[in-house]
Amino acid sequence: MVPAAYVRLEALPLTPNGKLDRQALPAPEDAAYVRRAFEPPEGEIERTIARLWCDLLGVEKIGRRDHFFELGGHSLLAVHLLSRLQAELAVSVPLAALFTHPTLAELASAIGHLEREALAPIVPVPRDEPLSLSFGQERLWFLAQLDGLTNVYNMPTARRLRGPLDVAAWRRSLDALFARHEALRSVFVARDGRPEVRLLDADSGLPLTVHDLRNAPDAPAQLAVLQAEEAATPFDLTHGPLIRARLIRLGEEEHVFLLTMHHIVSDGWSMGVLTRELNALYAAFREGREAALPPLTIQYPDYAVWQRQWLAGERLTTQADYWRRTLAEVPTLLELPTDRPRPPRQDFSGAFLSVRLDAELTGALKRLAQRHGATLFTTVLAAWAAVLARLSGQQDLVIGSPTANRGRREIEDLIGFFVNTLALRIDLSGEPSVAELIARAQRTAVAAQEHQDLPFEQVVEIVQPPRSLDRSPLFQVMFTWQNNERLAVDLPELQVQSVAVAFPQVKFDLELTLAEGNGTIAGGLSYATALFDAATIERHRGYLVALLRAMVADDRQPVMRIELLAPEERALLLTEWNRTEAPYPAQRCVHELFEEQAARAPEAIALVYKEQTLSYGELNARANRLARHLIALGVRPDDRVGLCVERSLEMVVGLLAVLKAGGAYVPLDPAYPAERL
């Protein structure tokens, strides 16, 4: 009964009826406020878990009743934890177990009932034999053969360096990185139609081009040109190197550093590894000493060989069965309304629109996720799925989402292409509430992450969706939650600032990328300019923010009934675009106005039904013939004439003929029972 925390308010928030507004009560700012009275860990398993939590979560002391996610844990840290538990306790813990047993004592108890299983290590392979590609590398190599030289998979970054830069130490640091990581020295050649990896000489050095713009009259313009050129220049996978850099000198103590890698040798996690090691190497070389980086016991080619050996037999069957069952009869296209028809071949030209959720909404979303035992990622995923469902009219849709795929402790310090893509199938049928949709998204994401070992390339082969050059298979919309380690470049006597890189390329129709930091959620929407206008994507952003605000306001409401339209857009759709009134001869009958149009444009098409068409002249002539027949049968003004016919050209002919004869048509549906007709 003793409160865990106190929050002082000037006044309690009230509803319009004067009652306490519980939804408006703020939560304590400290995420650890829910920690119970401290109980020290008991037993070997609990102490091991507590030590690992301290390392991963940055918390000094962990008790038995502490909650992993309330202390700041998320899905990526959960994967880290499970890989360390496998290494230290020789147990394979399913990811779902951490969500169902999130406190230390509960997790330790669950682990105590698992069988101990030693994991086969990743071991070095001989370098005097052809080296295999990983599954992910093989897919990118295949796409390169299909598309030729392309910059779609370039990974450009830029940093502004202010201060006394030691260029020699900088170059030496880059060369040391290049020699240290075999992934960066990999090139891909074909032998008998099959790709294999060859390694460039470790002493060849990372390509670094130096530009001096100190005396250039138009230095900012030249810098922009160099940045665009660097980001857009494609790589040759056969000859490499697949990493390159430029150092642009703007002043005596000001430089811009550009680094570009091909995705086939790197990923988002790798950027954190590269940054950490570059910091250490430059600091050491600048002082004239050797860097104390721990040796790498394995390299990326060793992982590629291990991946193919490990993913076989029963393990492969289990993973394949999950994806075959989950994606059975999956929709092949998310039919979003586009501003232009889809081109016959996918166009990768794109643009970017920033997205930012303020601190108030971010905090409310975190509390919403915690109440439902979910993560921020799956909570926003649920909202994004609901927006896409409302736009497309589909209740069954697939969203792609990348996963770091670093479930082994020994590969966490490697640079390479480990990332995998998960196809998350979200079910929005049955008018789920906000709470139910979050639960569905959470179950989907956890199950997919537990089966993330099967590469996306093999998932596509298993599901066998219809292939088309105008779209990506399985899904056309991506959602990326960036929770990889994002280290700052920390260099002696240098101020380092990130520089935005304009690289207008997209791999999907829509790509939503978000990350949490400094109390807010921020990122952006990348979109295919061949399909969408900027104004359309701005509306999509507004729908997402509106839905998120409604979700935190009431998690019991049906998510598909939440109002998304802004007042001005609602007025445009319902009022402005419905102002269809126009002056016309009010004393003339409909069939008389039709006859005037037929006289003005007899050749114009009046009716289209399936493959059939009728011009105004043809329609008028057929209606006249039938009208004369009706008059001959005795139809007089105001007589009622039954019109019993399926939707067709003949239905319109009959309607006009009845009016021309002076009668009033009575529509009769042929599907009605005979007695009713």
Side-chain angles (χ1 to χ4, degrees):
M1 298 296 292
V2 178
Y6 293 85
V7 178
R8 183 179 182 86
L9 301 177
E10 294 299 323
L12 290 173
L14 303 177
T15 67
N17 296 326
K19 297 181 179 180
L20 177 64
D21 186 353
R22 295 181 180 274
Q23 293 289 342
L25 288 171
E29 294 181 1
D30 184 3
Y33 77 96
V34 293
R35 295 182 68 182
R36 288 80 179 167
F38 179 75
E39 297 181 36
E42 299 176 358
E44 175 197 357
I45 297 178
E46 287 192 11
R47 285 191 288 271
T48 300
I49 296 174
R51 175 169 50 80
L52 296 177
W53 282 23
C54 288
D55 292 341
L56 290 171
L57 301 173
V59 179
E60 291 185 4
K61 188 168 64 172
I62 300 290
R64 302 186 71 237
R65 306 302 173 189
D66 284 339
H67 191 292
F68 181 77
F69 296 102
E70 290 174 355
L71 292 176
H74 50 70
S75 55
L76 184 61
L77 288 177
V79 172
H80 279 333
L81 174 65
L82 301 187
S83 70
R84 285 160 171 73
L85 289 172
Q86 173 70 67
E88 298 212 13
L89 299 178
V91 289
S92 180
V93 183
L95 184 61
L98 186 55
F99 284 93
T100 54
H101 306 289
T103 67
L104 188 145
E106 291 174 346
L107 181 61
S109 176
I111 290 175
H113 293 86
L114 296 176
E115 293 184 8
R116 299 294 175 106
E117 176 188 8
L119 197 63
I122 303 175
V123 297
V125 298
R127 294 299 190 264
D128 55 356
E129 299 177 1
L131 296 173
S132 300
L133 285 69
S134 68
F135 291 116
Q137 286 182 324
E138 193 169 69
R139 178 168 181 264
L140 289 191
W141 179 85
F142 172 78
L143 292 175
Q145 310 315 300
L146 186 66
D147 299 329
L149 284 178
T150 176
N151 58 20
V152 173
Y153 290 95
N154 283 13
M155 297 176 58
T157 58
R159 298 286 188 273
R160 187 177 294 270
L161 313 175
R162 290 188 173 94
L165 177 67
D166 186 334
V167 177
W170 189 256
R171 185 186 293 272
R172 187 180 173 192
S173 301
L174 295 174
D175 289 344
L177 274 173
F178 188 72
R180 176 175 168 83
H181 292 276
E182 290 185 354
L184 300 180
R185 294 188 281 113
S186 298
V187 294
F188 304 86
V189 298
R191 185 168 66 172
D192 299 328
R194 297 289 301 170
E196 61 183 47
V197 176
R198 292 184 183 171
L199 300 178
L200 299 176
D201 188 350
D203 297 328
S204 58
L206 191 153
L208 175 66
T209 305
V210 179
H211 304 268
D212 193 340
L213 300 183
R214 281 178 294 179
N215 300 318
D218 56 347
Q222 289 194 42
L223 174 62
V225 170
L226 290 173
Q227 283 183 281
E229 177 184 86
E230 173 57 42
T233 302
F235 286 98
D236 182 347
L237 298 189
T238 302
H239 298 96
L242 302 182
I243 180 173
R244 59 173 182 258
R246 299 194 194 201
L247 187 63
I248 305 168
R249 190 167 190 175
L250 301 177
E252 293 304 319
E253 293 191 350
E254 184 175 7
H255 297 76
V256 170
F257 176 63
L258 308 179
L259 182 71
T260 309
M261 292 181 283
H262 194 287
H263 202 359
I264 201 170
V265 298
S266 185
D267 57 17
W269 181 303
S270 298
M271 291 304 301
V273 176
L274 187 148
T275 299
R276 181 173 61 249
E277 295 191 353
L278 183 61
N279 291 346
L281 289 167
Y282 178 76
F285 293 153
R286 185 175 175 275
E287 297 173 1
R289 57 181 175 82
E290 292 297 320
L293 291 178
L296 298 175
T297 57
I298 60 169
Q299 292 279 353
Y300 187 86
D302 304 317
Y303 161 79
V305 173
W306 170 86
Q307 182 192 44
R308 293 179 177 275
Q309 295 172 345
W310 182 78
L311 195 60
E314 183 180 351
R315 188 176 290 109
L316 175 61
T317 301
T318 301
Q319 298 254 336
D321 287 346
Y322 167 81
W323 289 109
R324 185 180 293 109
R325 182 176 63 254
T326 300
L327 299 177
E329 300 180 2
V330 68
T332 60
L333 176 65
L334 182 61
E335 299 190 27
L336 297 174
T338 60
D339 297 304
R340 284 168 290 282
R342 186 178 293 274
R345 190 180 182 95
Q346 189 174 1
D347 188 327
F348 298 103
S349 300
F352 179 82
L353 179 70
S354 63
V355 175
R356 183 180 181 276
L357 309 181
D358 60 35
E360 180 182 359
L361 179 55
T362 298
L365 286 170
K366 292 173 73 172
R367 294 191 291 274
L368 175 66
Q370 287 184 1
R371 283 202 306 273
H372 295 286
T375 63
L376 260 180
F377 163 69
T378 52
T379 303
V380 180
L381 171 67
W384 184 226
V387 170
L388 296 174
R390 297 280 286 272
L391 289 170
S392 65
Q394 297 172 228
Q395 295 184 334
D396 183 10
L397 51 88
V398 181
I399 300 173
S401 184
T403 178
N405 198 29
R406 301 253 185 169
R408 295 290 299 252
R409 180 69 182 90
E410 56 263 57
I411 63 176
E412 290 182 6
D413 295 328
L414 290 182
I415 292 175
F417 181 40
F418 295 91
V419 65
N420 194 13
T421 304
L422 304 178
L424 304 178
R425 188 174 187 176
I426 309 295
D427 174 21
L428 293 104
S429 62
E431 292 205 357
S433 66
V434 170
E436 172 58 24
L437 183 58
I438 292 174
R440 292 183 189 182
Q442 181 73 15
R443 289 193 297 268
T444 297
V446 170
Q449 288 172 338
E450 288 183 340
H451 297 86
Q452 66 176 304
D453 296 318
L454 191 68
F456 177 71
E457 305 72 41
Q458 293 198 16
V459 173
V460 174
E461 292 301 319
I462 289 169
V463 178
Q464 288 291 313
R467 296 299 188 100
S468 175
L469 293 177
D470 66 353
R471 72 192 71 149
S472 56
L474 286 184
F475 54 81
Q476 295 79 45
V477 175
M478 190 74 129
F479 176 40
T480 301
W481 189 263
Q482 292 186 331
N483 50 14
N484 288 330
E485 182 182 20
R486 289 173 291 172
L487 292 175
V489 181
D490 183 15
L491 303 171
E493 298 186 27
L494 289 175
Q495 295 180 349
V496 184
Q497 179 184 7
S498 296
V499 178
V501 179
F503 186 53
Q505 294 282 352
V506 291
K507 304 175 185 67
F508 302 92
D509 295 355
L510 280 176
E511 301 174 10
L512 176 62
T513 302
L514 296 174
E516 182 201 359
N518 300 321
T520 65
I521 295 173
L525 269 167
S526 299
Y527 59 95
T529 52
L531 299 176
F532 302 103
D533 292 332
T536 300
I537 304 305
E538 287 178 6
R539 290 198 302 273
H540 292 178
R541 175 180 62 183
Y543 300 153
L544 176 62
V545 174
L547 189 68
L548 289 169
R549 292 193 184 282
M551 288 172 62
V552 299
D554 181 4
D555 57 8
R556 295 166 298 181
Q557 61 183 317
V559 72
M560 299 302 281
R561 297 188 185 183
I562 292 175
E563 178 58 61
L564 299 185
L565 299 181
E568 56 274 14
E569 186 177 1
R570 170 172 283 275
L572 175 67
L573 292 175
L574 299 184
T575 305
E576 296 300 324
W577 285 358
N578 272 326
R579 295 189 189 280
T580 57
E581 64 272 14
Y584 72 99
Q587 302 306 315
R588 310 293 300 279
C589 296
V590 172
H591 64 280
E592 293 173 333
L593 296 173
F594 171 79
E595 289 168 351
E596 292 177 3
Q597 175 65 17
R600 283 192 298 267
E603 302 301 324
I605 297 299
L607 286 180
V608 177
Y609 179 71
K610 296 184 178 179
E611 304 300 324
Q612 301 171 286
T613 61
L614 276 181
S615 68
Y616 275 93
E618 292 169 335
L619 176 56
N620 193 46
R622 289 180 58 174
N624 285 339
R625 286 196 296 270
L626 183 54
R628 287 192 289 269
H629 180 64
L630 292 174
I631 292 172
L633 292 176
V635 174
R636 295 293 178 263
D638 296 333
D639 283 351
R640 288 168 294 174
V641 179
L643 186 61
C644 184
V645 64
E646 299 282 359
R647 182 185 295 267
S648 60
L649 300 182
E650 287 73 17
M651 182 182 74
V652 182
V653 172
L655 186 155
L656 280 171
V658 172
L659 297 178
K660 285 172 176 281
Y665 73 94
V666 180
L668 301 172
D669 190 337
Y672 286 164
E675 295 80 2
R676 180 168 183 178
L677 292 177

